Amino acid sequence: MPQQCSRSTLPLPKQTNPIENSPSSLVRQVDPLVRALNTVMYGLLVHFGTLWMIDLAQRQQHNDSSYTSAAATGEEGRTPSHLLSILFLHEYWVYLQHSNVFGNPLLQHLDRQYGIALLKKNQHWSIAGTLTAYWSRECLCLFLCLPFLQQQYNGEQYYFTSTQYMILYSLIYHTIKSRGVREDALKRSSPRFGIMRLVIDKFYLNSMAEVQVTVLRLFLQGFDTYIHFCVVRDLVLLSSPGGVAWCISSMHVLFTVWVVHAALNQFFRCSTASVMVQAWHALTARKMDNDVMKTEGGDFIGGKENATNEDKDESTEGESLSSGNSSLTSSDNKSTTNVVQIIDANDEYVVRQLLHHERVSDSLKGRQGSASSGVDKAIRLATSVSILAAFFMIGINNVPMQWLSSGNIVATSDVCKIFQDKSRVLSVAMYSWLLWGLLYGIWAIFLKSRSYSQLSNQSSSSRRRQISLIRMADFTVMIGIAYLLPPESKGMLLFTLIVLTGKSFIQSMDLSFPRIVWNGVLAVEFLTKLRILRMLQQSSDTMLTSFVLTVLWSLWVVTNANPTPCEVEKQREVADAVFLGHPAELHDCWALWLRPYSLQERWQAPSWVWPLWPFHYVVGWYVCNYRQRLFGDKASFFCSDTVMYGNALMQNWVATHFARHFVTNPRQVKKNIEAAARHAEEIGVKVLCLGALNKAESINGGGLGIVNELGPRRRISVIHGNHLTAAAVVETIHQVFGDRKVKFFLTGASSKVGWAVAQALRDRHAYEVLCHSTDPGRRRFFREHGFASAATLAEGSAFSKYWIVGKYDTAVAQLIPQNATAVVFSVPHPLGVRSDVRVIEAGTLHMDLQKLDRPRSFTNKLRAHEIFACHAASAVAAYRLEKGSARIDEVGPVDPQEMDSWLDDAKLLGFQIPTFDLVEDDETIQRPAVVIVGSGPAGLSAAAMLSQKNIPHIVLEAQSGESFGSWSNHFAGLEITTQKKWCNLPGFSMNNKDFPEENVSAEEYQRYLQQYVHRFNINIRRGVKVVSVEKGGSEECPWVVKYEDSSSLGKTQLLPAFSVIVATGKHRVPNKNTTDDVAGKLTTATIPFVHSTEMCDGATWEQAVTAARNGRLCIVGLGNSAADLAALILQRCPTGEKDTTQIHVAARTVPPVFPRKRFMFRVDSLGFLVRLLPHFLQEFFVHLLWTMIPSSKLCNAAFPSHLKRWTKINGRVPVIDKHGVIASGLQSGKLVGHGPILDITSDRNVHFDDRNGSSTAIDMVILATGYKEECSLVDREDKLNGMYKIGFGKDHFLPLKSIGDEAKEIVEEISKVYDRALHL
């Protein structure tokens, strides 16, 4: 690979030639006569091969009688017209040249050697001029061939041939190449896919990437050659018989001239390119200044001298390169201090070295007088014919210049006849106006520079009048065209008139419309006019008009004084400070496209963009992965705003990737950021500030990766702006909280800003900070530095309602407490969905708009006066550089002692911390609160809904400790039957981090209830036993709650209540006996028994497992508790050959037993749908499932047939076989179904009602007899006066979900009454 050396590096000695046997040297050593003969042989192969292929095509055409010639120019025996003859000869010459370049390695080497010679003398513009002149001539001839290649089908309908489509491709292809080689000449360098490098460089096969480039080059050259062959072939085939004979003979003559020329080129080592360059210099030398000549590297080396030097075998290209660089050094000593001298004796890669972007000094780059002007005119010609071909073929569905192939000759009398016929004059005039207007629009859109205007000396009012007159004339012409169109086509014309009128009104009112909307209006106008133009009938008059206007438009484009966009020197405003951000959401691309828009409010995506997400996805995929690859470093961002703030020119660059790409495409994101940094360094930006995730540690280490990528010789300062952000956060927090002792929960504490904020808050203001991190190492680091740490956000909910959010995490919006205060500096922050949370944006500053030289056009979705603190830091860094500071590299940790100096400098520049109201302590509301009795799911749901309504409330719980109703009384290992999504209470769902499984246990559900309490700041007074609820007797205090607690010393205390919600639930008091006193019988027989709620300790479980293993365990009852206990005990019992495990289940009635999951169906999901049905349909559906599901039928048959089955659900819950253990146990005999217990003998034999008189020895009994459904506080609800009961419903499908729905209804009623009372 090329080796980069400094200016002091000496050139290699001339006697050193390490690559004497390289392929290039081997080609040079071939005898000139042999080279010439080989070229003649190759030419003969191409010539006669072409003739044979044309002959074969003629035979195929002769067999196909459906095709007739539409381009034959005369009768049989006549030769083609002069123009067609010239075009044919030119095309065959070009075809021979292309074939020679494509397949002759001798010519490739010769052209390459000559190109290298020009590059060594820095004559890039000579190369560009030669190539663009050649390509523009090629484009013009191909363009003129288009009308002669038109075929006619059945004498009626015209259609395009494949050759015409290939010509259109070739025109566009050569135009792109011309523009590319001009860009390389401007920069005096060429990148990997630069046109100048691809044209001159060799074909390499050293790596897969080089193989791909080589294949691409060969394909493009080969396909271009094939296009010229198709043109030659079709011109022959479409000629008359006499014309074919003339074409063949002309090809022989032209080939003789060409092959002699090509052989002489090889013999004398003087390529055709050298002759063209001499001609180019002859044309441009008259206008070229002496200074420009010096810039080009001195006098031109003639063909003979050049050939002599190239034929010297002892002189290598590497040595020539050294001498060329030496001359460059001596020619410009003042401006080459930053130029890298590249010296390498490797002949294989000399073109890459000569076209390296650091080889030529900046003073030699740019335009070069008349040479550049000649290139511009050649490119204009190629561009104009390409646009015309595309416009006519795609837009009008016809070929341009069709009049040339019509055979009509315009005489003076014909012109006079046109002017004598007023209708013909009118139709030609209107057609001309419409066609010229469309062509002018194409020129204005694609070929007119926005930075130049011929009307610059006109006032704004006169310019508007001129535009209005033109629009009026355009409108009049459209009305006149209506008389030329058939009636069914006038709807399109009416639409065009409406568009013209609306466009005129919009522009006259000076309304600020987004640029994309205005461009859309122009596009609609263009397309409708184009449609009208296609509907106009083609006649001899319109063909002649099109021909004349096409020629005039091409000449006008080539000679127009208004430069094209690519000709204008891009005098970019080099920014002092650049802020590199990126869009957050995919639809944020509209924030760029819809400019300009009002900046009085923050930008919000319109509602109509949401259905366009597939389009947004494709746009994001393209700009992230391919835009920079295709168009270079300058395409890695969008420059969306340029303003002068004080003395600093600030630019806002938006990187071409979105937030999601940091996860899906991190490597490409890294490349895009580095590409933008390289471009900033290249154009001379002083400060590059990385914004948002562009400075992520995982991407570039906070900017350190950018610093390493640019290298030690860089001039640009790279900062992340975190010092100013941290200082702004600390000052904002102290502003709103003052010197009070406040506890903060900090997310994102492991970031640079977060860690500096934590230290400053503790050390300066003595705030207590709990630092959050999911990384155990970071939490250990926090503890080592004296900070408390939290592993989950739920711990922060329990710690404080004052949060500092420094990391974007959607779980923050879920877990932050109700009515909390959040100081955020993450961009964006996740709390937009929480209207109850007060959000204080501490990472945003206010700027002084008086210091702007122009209004801002893009503000990263902020308002006009707002700016991110890290963005403002770029101005601070530019200010420090202006004051004499050295290069600033702010890429490391944030120093709490240093960050205040950044804020001080920012304030000097006019940036200010926004003013926020103080955070006050919670006010004590004197009105009676809503009293909720019970802290189970029902009571907590009601409390949460009241918190969201900001209605004061209090929850009274009789149990002490962190328990929630009866959930702490269930047996160990209980798993909730339904999925966790059906167990969520209103307003807060179980997150997948804390609850990853589909189902949750009772223990996990209690943890969820704890999070629920912290999330809604629910006030629970524990250890309070409510004695009674009585009416208060007044409107302000409708109810009085009497209670006892540990502080009452046995005395009853009173608590006034605005409303009372009794939520003690149905499962508070266990039912430890049956109606036939089974518990008394067990006590008499001394058989140990427990209630299911008492299965909490290990000893009880071990006793039950032992009894089951011996076949002596009995479970009384057949509900979900009995099924869960039986399943858990069977799972703990070992299996084997001598397995005697057996559990006896005694039941009075047999309920339906359903599997939790059957194939893809979940019983709880089905229950959600069933509960929406009328009651009788619910009963029917349950019984239908009971008779259809095999496992349900098996469980039903396992119990004695005389037992009563459930005929109606009546609010009862069917049994759910969670893991299939119940069905398998009943089938295997490990579970035995019995009737109820009839009697128990003294020897512990239990008689069941099985109708067979058998008895079974039992060692232990578990009473799974459920709970007493009682509410001792109130007998019934009194909703009219504010007394409610919740959790006593009879939803036998999804009880927890029903509780939430019931809580919403009750709180909604309380809210209405409370609002009325509050207003009174």
Side-chain angles (χ1 to χ4, degrees):
M1 292 301 291
Q3 177 183 357
Q4 294 188 4
C5 305
S6 63
R7 273 291 183 191
S8 60
T9 304
L10 296 175
L12 294 172
K14 286 190 176 182
Q15 64 272 19
T16 304
N17 190 5
I19 52 168
E20 189 175 2
N21 295 323
S22 67
S24 297
S25 300
L26 294 177
V27 172
R28 281 196 299 269
Q29 294 170 7
V30 178
D31 184 82
L33 182 59
V34 175
R35 291 199 296 256
L37 293 176
N38 288 339
T39 300
V40 172
M41 294 174 61
Y42 179 77
L44 289 170
L45 175 64
V46 172
H47 175 65
F48 285 100
T50 303
L51 291 176
W52 292 335
M53 287 187 290
I54 291 176
D55 181 65
L56 179 62
Q58 280 182 306
R59 295 177 185 273
Q60 293 177 348
Q61 185 190 41
H62 180 73
N63 296 331
D64 188 0
S65 59
S66 62
Y67 289 95
T68 59
S69 173
T73 57
E75 299 174 356
E76 182 176 352
R78 289 190 57 183
T79 60
S81 64
H82 295 298
L83 176 61
L84 185 57
S85 300
I86 294 173
L87 293 176
F88 175 77
L89 294 176
H90 174 269
E91 282 304 305
Y92 190 58
W93 180 276
V94 172
Y95 165 67
L96 293 174
Q97 285 288 87
H98 278 236
S99 300
N100 201 19
V101 171
F102 174 69
N104 189 351
L106 299 174
L107 181 62
Q108 294 171 2
H109 176 73
L110 185 62
D111 288 344
R112 179 173 178 267
Q113 290 297 106
Y114 191 70
I116 291 172
L118 292 176
L119 290 177
K120 292 172 183 175
K121 301 299 292 181
N122 298 322
Q123 295 182 355
H124 300 75
W125 280 108
S126 298
I127 298 174
T130 302
L131 293 175
T132 54
Y134 181 81
W135 290 335
S136 62
R137 184 201 71 192
E138 195 173 329
C139 288
L140 180 60
C141 291
L142 285 173
F143 177 75
L144 294 175
C145 287
L146 277 172
F148 296 100
L149 299 175
Q150 186 79 357
Q151 291 184 344
Q152 191 174 28
Y153 182 69
N154 292 333
E156 296 178 359
Q157 183 179 2
Y158 286 101
Y159 66 98
F160 298 129
T161 64
S162 59
T163 303
Q164 288 175 310
Y165 282 118
M166 287 190 289
I167 287 178
L168 178 59
Y169 156 80
S170 183
L171 293 175
I172 299 173
Y173 168 64
H174 284 90
T175 302
I176 293 174
K177 288 201 301 182
S178 300
R179 291 173 175 264
V181 78
R182 180 191 181 279
E183 186 72 18
D184 293 342
L186 276 173
K187 299 185 296 184
R188 302 297 179 100
S189 64
S190 185
R192 179 180 181 182
F193 292 100
I195 301 300
M196 192 173 292
R197 175 170 163 180
L198 292 178
V199 170
I200 301 176
D201 206 359
K202 291 181 58 176
F203 296 106
Y204 296 99
L205 302 173
N206 299 328
S207 65
M208 182 55 66
E210 291 178 345
V211 169
Q212 293 174 353
V213 174
T214 298
V215 171
L216 176 63
R217 291 175 60 187
L218 290 174
F219 169 76
L220 293 175
Q221 290 184 11
F223 189 61
D224 197 26
T225 304
Y226 176 72
I227 292 173
H228 288 285
F229 163 75
C230 292
V231 174
V232 172
R233 180 199 63 194
D234 288 3
L235 289 176
V236 173
L237 296 179
L238 295 174
S239 300
S240 62
V244 172
W246 180 91
C247 290
I248 299 299
S249 59
S250 299
M251 291 173 66
H252 287 300
V253 174
L254 188 65
F255 168 72
T256 303
V257 176
W258 177 85
V259 77
V260 172
H261 143 270
L264 291 176
N265 282 347
Q266 290 297 326
F267 186 80
F268 292 107
R269 296 301 306 277
C270 181
S271 66
T272 306
S274 64
V275 179
M276 294 188 65
V277 170
Q278 285 182 305
W280 174 262
H281 275 275
L283 292 173
T284 59
R286 299 176 183 177
K287 301 180 181 179
M288 197 175 295
D289 299 330
N290 292 331
D291 294 337
V292 177
M293 292 292 291
K294 292 179 183 180
T295 303
E296 278 293 315
D299 297 333
F300 173 69
I301 300 177
K304 291 183 180 180
E305 181 182 353
N306 181 47
T308 304
N309 290 338
E310 290 178 356
D311 275 332
K312 292 180 181 179
D313 293 335
E314 66 273 8
S315 175
T316 66
E317 294 172 0
E319 294 166 351
S320 248
L321 172 60
S322 301
S323 62
N325 285 334
S326 300
S327 68
L328 174 62
T329 307
S330 60
S331 65
D332 191 4
N333 292 327
K334 294 182 180 181
S335 60
T336 58
T337 56
N338 295 325
V339 178
V340 175
Q341 188 76 334
I342 304 173
I343 299 175
D344 196 339
N346 191 350
D347 175 67
E348 296 298 307
Y349 297 100
V350 64
V351 174
R352 299 184 182 184
Q353 300 180 53
L354 290 169
L355 291 174
H356 195 276
H357 67 278
E358 293 184 334
R359 175 180 175 270
V360 180
S361 65
D362 293 338
S363 62
L364 298 180
K365 298 178 180 179
R367 297 178 59 84
Q368 187 210 327
S370 58
S372 302
S373 300
V375 172
D376 293 341
K377 285 184 170 52
I379 294 176
R380 285 189 181 198
L381 179 59
T383 304
S384 63
V385 297
S386 301
I387 290 176
L388 284 172
F391 173 75
F392 275 89
M393 293 179 65
I394 300 175
I396 306 181
N397 195 28
N398 202 348
V399 291
M401 314 289 282
Q402 190 182 16
W403 180 79
L404 293 176
S405 63
S406 63
N408 297 328
I409 300 176
V410 180
T412 305
S413 59
D414 296 332
V415 176
C416 293
K417 289 180 180 180
I418 294 177
F419 282 99
Q420 290 174 0
D421 190 345
K422 294 183 180 180
S423 61
R424 293 178 67 183
V425 171
L426 183 62
S427 63
V428 169
M430 289 187 294
Y431 181 85
S432 302
W433 177 275
L434 184 58
L435 178 59
W436 183 262
L438 292 176
L439 292 176
Y440 181 86
I442 293 175
W443 171 81
I445 293 174
F446 298 106
L447 300 177
K448 180 182 178 181
S449 173
R450 301 295 185 270
S451 60
Y452 180 88
S453 176
Q454 293 178 334
L455 301 176
S456 58
N457 57 344
Q458 295 183 4
S459 64
S460 175
S461 59
S462 62
R463 203 176 312 168
R464 289 184 179 180
R465 292 173 183 175
Q466 183 179 7
I467 293 174
S468 298
L469 289 174
I470 293 174
R471 286 182 180 157
M472 188 63 197
D474 194 20
F475 194 88
T476 304
V477 169
M478 291 296 105
I479 295 177
I481 290 177
Y483 294 96
L484 303 178
L485 295 176
E488 62 271 10
S489 302
K490 293 183 180 180
M492 177 65 68
L493 186 64
L494 178 61
F495 180 74
T496 306
L497 296 176
I498 294 173
V499 172
L500 289 174
T501 306
K503 173 183 160 188
S504 181
F505 273 97
I506 289 174
Q507 197 163 21
S508 63
M509 290 186 293
D510 287 335
L511 297 178
S512 178
F513 279 88
R515 191 179 301 119
I516 189 173
V517 175
W518 182 251
N519 292 341
V521 173
L522 296 179
V524 171
E525 178 189 359
F526 181 85
L527 293 175
T528 52
K529 287 184 176 180
L530 187 64
R531 178 62 179 166
I532 293 172
L533 192 65
R534 293 184 66 167
M535 290 188 294
L536 294 177
Q537 297 295 326
Q538 293 293 320
S539 63
S540 58
D541 295 344
T542 56
M543 281 196 296
L544 178 59
T545 303
S546 298
F547 171 77
V548 173
L549 292 181
T550 299
V551 173
L552 291 177
W553 186 81
S554 300
L555 294 175
W556 180 65
V557 168
V558 174
T559 60
N560 199 302
N562 194 318
T564 61
C566 70
E567 295 171 6
V568 177
E569 284 287 348
K570 295 182 180 179
Q571 301 292 341
R572 293 181 179 232
E573 297 177 292
V574 179
D576 298 311
V578 165
F579 177 71
L580 182 63
H582 66 84
E585 303 291 340
L586 288 175
H587 59 257
D588 286 342
C589 56
W590 292 98
L592 295 172
W593 296 342
L594 293 178
R595 293 178 301 157
Y597 45 80
S598 174
L599 299 178
Q600 299 302 316
E601 300 294 335
R602 294 191 174 183
W603 187 85
Q604 296 289 336
S607 58
W608 51 263
V609 307
W610 296 101
L612 302 177
W613 66 265
F615 169 71
H616 301 153
Y617 181 86
V618 173
V619 169
W621 169 79
Y622 160 70
V623 298
C624 176
N625 295 289
Y626 294 103
R627 194 170 188 268
Q628 184 268 333
R629 296 183 187 179
L630 294 176
F631 304 105
D633 291 349
K634 63 183 179 182
S636 61
F637 63 90
F638 301 97
C639 184
S640 55
D641 185 44
T642 301
V643 294
M644 180 70 72
Y645 185 77
N647 296 326
L649 182 65
M650 301 175 62
Q651 286 186 345
N652 195 339
W653 291 4
V654 180
T656 56
H657 48 258
F658 296 77
R660 70 186 310 271
H661 295 132
F662 285 85
V663 178
T664 60
N665 304 80
R667 292 185 179 179
Q668 189 57 43
V669 166
K670 183 175 183 291
K671 291 179 181 179
N672 290 341
I673 299 172
E674 292 174 351
R678 284 194 303 268
H679 183 75
E681 167 72 10
E682 179 182 347
I683 65 177
V685 174
K686 296 179 181 178
V687 178
L688 175 66
C689 181
L690 304 175
L693 294 177
N694 286 336
K695 55 189 173 186
E697 292 291 329
S698 60
I699 298 297
N700 52 43
L704 184 60
I706 302 298
V707 171
N708 296 333
E709 171 68 17
L710 297 179
R713 299 179 58 229
R714 61 185 170 83
R715 302 179 301 274
I716 192 171
S717 298
V718 180
I719 66 173
H720 49 48
N722 288 341
H723 277 84
L724 182 55
T725 302
V729 172
V730 173
E731 182 162 325
T732 301
I733 292 174
H734 186 254
Q735 175 194 139
V736 297
F737 288 97
D739 296 325
R740 292 180 295 159
K741 300 298 181 182
V742 183
K743 298 192 300 182
F744 291 104
F745 176 62
L746 172 61
T747 71
S750 57
S751 66
K752 292 182 174 68
V753 176
W755 180 233
V757 167
Q759 295 178 84
L761 292 178
R762 182 192 63 178
D763 299 340
R764 298 181 187 180
H765 306 297
Y767 294 143
E768 184 179 354
V769 181
L770 176 63
C771 298
H772 169 260
S773 177
T774 57
D775 182 15
R778 296 300 301 178
R779 295 199 298 273
R780 184 169 56 253
F781 173 82
F782 295 149
R783 291 191 295 269
E784 291 173 353
H785 287 77
F787 286 91
S789 63
T792 63
L793 296 176
E795 297 179 54
S797 299
F799 180 75
S800 175
K801 69 173 185 177
Y802 301 125
W803 284 33
I804 304 173
V805 181
K807 178 183 178 182
Y808 184 85
D809 188 350
T810 55
V812 169
Q814 185 183 24
L815 290 167
I816 190 170
Q818 185 77 16
N819 300 321
T821 299
V823 179
V824 300
F825 60 89
S826 67
V827 179
H829 66 79
L831 294 172
V833 297
R834 289 291 301 275
S835 58
D836 61 293
V837 176
R838 181 189 177 188
V839 177
I840 300 173
E841 294 185 355
T844 304
L845 303 179
H846 288 176
M847 64 190 309
D848 186 359
L849 297 180
Q850 300 298 323
K851 292 190 174 184
L852 294 174
D853 67 328
R854 72 198 82 168
R856 302 170 73 188
S857 61
F858 182 74
T859 58
N860 297 296
K861 299 168 52 175
L862 300 177
R863 288 178 289 184
H865 63 283
E866 295 176 335
I867 186 171
F868 292 122
C870 57
H871 189 175
S874 63
V876 175
Y879 168 76
R880 292 186 173 185
L881 291 176
E882 184 183 357
K883 293 299 182 181
S885 297
R887 186 182 66 194
I888 302 172
D889 289 337
E890 186 210 11
V891 294
V894 176
D895 184 359
Q897 306 302 322
E898 175 66 21
M899 63 187 191
D900 287 338
S901 64
W902 285 79
L903 183 57
D904 294 338
D905 289 344
K907 291 180 178 179
L908 289 176
L909 295 176
F911 298 104
Q912 298 295 330
I913 301 289
T915 301
F916 298 97
D917 295 333
L918 292 175
V919 175
E920 303 291 345
D921 293 332
D922 294 337
E923 298 181 2
T924 303
I925 301 178
Q926 301 298 327
R927 295 184 59 86
V930 176
V931 176
I932 303 171
V933 183
S935 64
L940 296 182
S941 298
M945 295 299 96
L946 291 170
S947 295
Q948 291 183 333
K949 297 286 186 179
N950 290 322
I951 298 176
H953 60 278
I954 186 172
V955 179
L956 304 181
E957 173 58 47
Q959 302 182 55
S960 57
E962 296 295 325
S963 60
F964 299 96
S966 62
W967 283 93
S968 59
N969 299 329
H970 290 294
F971 58 86
L974 172 64
E975 185 180 274
I976 299 179
T977 303
T978 55
Q979 303 172 74
K980 67 179 180 183
K981 66 179 180 179
W982 305 119
C983 302
N984 292 321
L985 300 183
F988 180 70
S989 301
M990 284 179 268
N991 60 79
N992 292 327
K993 285 186 178 180
D994 295 333
F995 308 97
E997 301 298 331
E998 189 178 24
N999 295 92
V1000 293
S1001 64
E1003 183 179 355
E1004 290 175 321
Y1005 197 69
Q1006 289 188 78
R1007 184 153 49 90
Y1008 162 68
L1009 295 178
Q1010 184 69 53
Q1011 293 182 4
Y1012 197 80
V1013 169
H1014 297 315
R1015 162 63 176 81
F1016 290 101
N1017 266 331
I1018 299 174
N1019 180 19
I1020 302 178
R1021 290 181 57 181
R1022 299 188 179 276
V1024 177
K1025 182 180 179 181
V1026 176
V1027 178
S1028 64
V1029 177
E1030 301 176 1
K1031 288 190 175 182
S1034 66
E1035 293 184 1
E1036 294 184 356
C1037 180
W1039 298 94
V1040 173
V1041 177
K1042 296 183 178 181
Y1043 68 92
E1044 297 177 355
D1045 60 8
S1046 57
S1047 62
S1048 63
L1049 300 177
K1051 295 182 179 180
T1052 301
Q1053 300 191 39
L1054 303 180
L1055 177 64
F1058 177 79
S1059 183
V1060 177
I1061 301 176
V1062 179
T1064 53
K1066 298 187 294 183
H1067 299 162
R1068 177 172 293 272
V1069 181
N1071 187 7
K1072 296 185 178 182
N1073 201 351
T1074 62
T1075 56
D1076 53 354
D1077 193 22
V1078 170
K1081 297 176 182 179
L1082 292 173
T1083 303
T1084 304
T1086 68
I1087 297 178
F1089 66 94
V1090 294
H1091 191 266
S1092 58
T1093 57
E1094 298 171 343
M1095 294 286 295
C1096 300
D1097 58 278
T1100 306
W1101 272 100
E1102 183 62 30
Q1103 183 182 4
V1105 170
T1106 302
R1109 194 181 304 162
N1110 297 328
R1112 292 170 173 254
L1113 177 66
C1114 177
I1115 298 178
V1116 178
L1118 184 56
N1120 278 291
S1121 296
D1124 291 343
L1125 285 170
L1128 290 174
I1129 294 172
L1130 286 178
Q1131 288 172 352
R1132 296 189 183 190
C1133 292
T1135 59
E1137 296 182 359
K1138 299 182 179 181
D1139 184 15
T1140 59
T1141 302
Q1142 198 171 64
I1143 300 177
H1144 301 272
V1145 181
R1148 289 185 177 276
T1149 58
V1150 180
V1153 180
F1154 295 134
R1156 173 188 278 177
K1157 186 175 183 181
R1158 178 72 175 174
F1159 302 118
M1160 59 179 295
F1161 300 103
R1162 293 288 308 236
V1163 67
D1164 48 4
S1165 299
L1166 291 175
F1168 173 75
L1169 299 176
V1170 171
R1171 65 199 293 269
L1172 303 177
L1173 301 175
H1175 182 71
F1176 73 94
L1177 289 180
Q1178 294 181 15
E1179 300 282 353
F1180 171 78
F1181 190 79
V1182 170
H1183 284 281
L1184 179 64
L1185 291 178
W1186 196 359
T1187 58
M1188 290 179 59
I1189 298 177
S1191 60
S1192 299
K1193 295 167 62 178
L1194 174 65
C1195 295
N1196 185 38
F1199 285 86
S1201 59
H1202 70 278
L1203 295 181
K1204 185 179 180 182
R1205 266 60 177 176
W1206 287 12
T1207 56
K1208 291 187 178 181
I1209 302 299
N1210 290 332
R1212 295 173 291 183
V1213 180
V1215 176
I1216 306 300
D1217 188 3
K1218 297 174 181 176
H1219 305 287
V1221 177
I1222 302 301
S1224 61
L1226 290 172
Q1227 185 176 16
S1228 63
K1230 291 186 177 182
L1231 285 178
V1232 181
H1234 299 281
I1237 296 177
L1238 295 178
D1239 188 21
I1240 304 175
T1241 63
S1242 58
D1243 57 354
R1244 296 189 173 184
N1245 282 330
V1246 176
H1247 295 269
F1248 299 99
D1249 184 10
D1250 291 342
R1251 303 290 175 90
N1252 56 12
S1254 62
S1255 62
T1256 304
I1258 298 298
D1259 291 340
M1260 182 178 179
V1261 175
I1262 300 176
L1263 298 178
T1265 48
Y1267 298 85
K1268 297 179 180 179
E1269 296 187 13
E1270 59 180 23
C1271 180
S1272 57
L1273 293 178
V1274 292
D1275 295 331
R1276 59 183 179 83
E1277 291 182 303
D1278 187 2
K1279 295 182 178 181
L1280 185 62
N1281 295 311
M1283 169 63 71
Y1284 301 91
K1285 293 170 63 177
I1286 184 173
F1288 296 91
K1290 294 187 178 182
D1291 188 337
H1292 45 273
F1293 294 107
L1294 301 174
L1296 288 174
K1297 179 171 178 55
S1298 297
I1299 285 174
D1301 297 339
E1302 193 177 355
K1304 292 179 182 179
E1305 295 176 2
I1306 291 175
V1307 171
E1308 192 64 34
E1309 293 181 16
I1310 294 176
S1311 176
K1312 295 177 181 178
V1313 178
Y1314 186 83
D1315 290 341
R1316 287 197 300 268
L1318 197 61
H1319 286 91
L1320 293 176

